[in-house]
Amino acid sequence: MKEIIQILAEIVNNLHDFILFFVSDTLNSNATDKDLHFWIMGIIGIIIFLFVLFLSNLIARMRFGITILSFLYTFTVMVVLVFAIEIQQALTSRGNMEFQDAAVGLWGFIVFFMVFAVLSSLFLLVKNFFKQSK
């Protein structure tokens, strides 16, 4: 996993240098690194936001839309948390940084969510059964 992160970091660094070179030489701009971060991250952020807003509106109209959105948000936070822990282990040399650790951690969340979904479904079935009996 460490090698994958190093490869991704190299790709991001090369892309960063290319954009900096393109803006300064081709566009004849004297934009600083902070200026580029402002514009690039702003553009990426607003594109992601608009996509998520569109998708969230579609999902919210579904029967269990809020549950689906809650799952997606939690899963996203879990992905960030799992990889942050793995990176921290690599930086501090406390444990091994392995992709399998991250995958197993995320699988744990999915299994626990499935248990929650089954229990919730059973509860709703029982509730509806008693509601119809009356």
Side-chain angles (χ1 to χ4, degrees), residues 1 4 13 24 29 38 48 55 62 66-67 72 74-75 78 80 82 85 93 100 103 108-109 118 127 130:
M1 184 164 160
I4 293 171
N13 285 336
S24 62
S29 173
F38 175 86
I48 292 172
L55 193 62
M62 299 170 129
I66 297 300
T67 303
L72 292 173
T74 304
F75 187 77
M78 291 301 296
V80 171
V82 162
I85 289 170
S93 298
Q100 285 182 327
F109 167 67
V118 167
K127 182 179 170 184
F130 283 116

Side-chain angles (χ1 to χ4, degrees), residues 10-29:
E10 185 66 26
I11 291 169
V12 169
N13 285 336
N14 289 338
L15 185 61
H16 176 273
D17 293 343
F18 171 77
I19 292 171
L20 189 60
F21 174 77
F22 178 78
V23 168
S24 62
D25 287 352
T26 307
L27 299 178
N28 294 325
S29 173

Side-chain angles (χ1 to χ4, degrees), residues 77-96:
V77 170
M78 291 301 296
V79 168
V80 171
L81 180 62
V82 162
F83 282 103
I85 289 170
E86 290 301 315
I87 292 169
Q88 177 269 340
Q89 285 183 338
L91 294 175
T92 61
S93 298
R94 298 184 117 187
N96 295 325

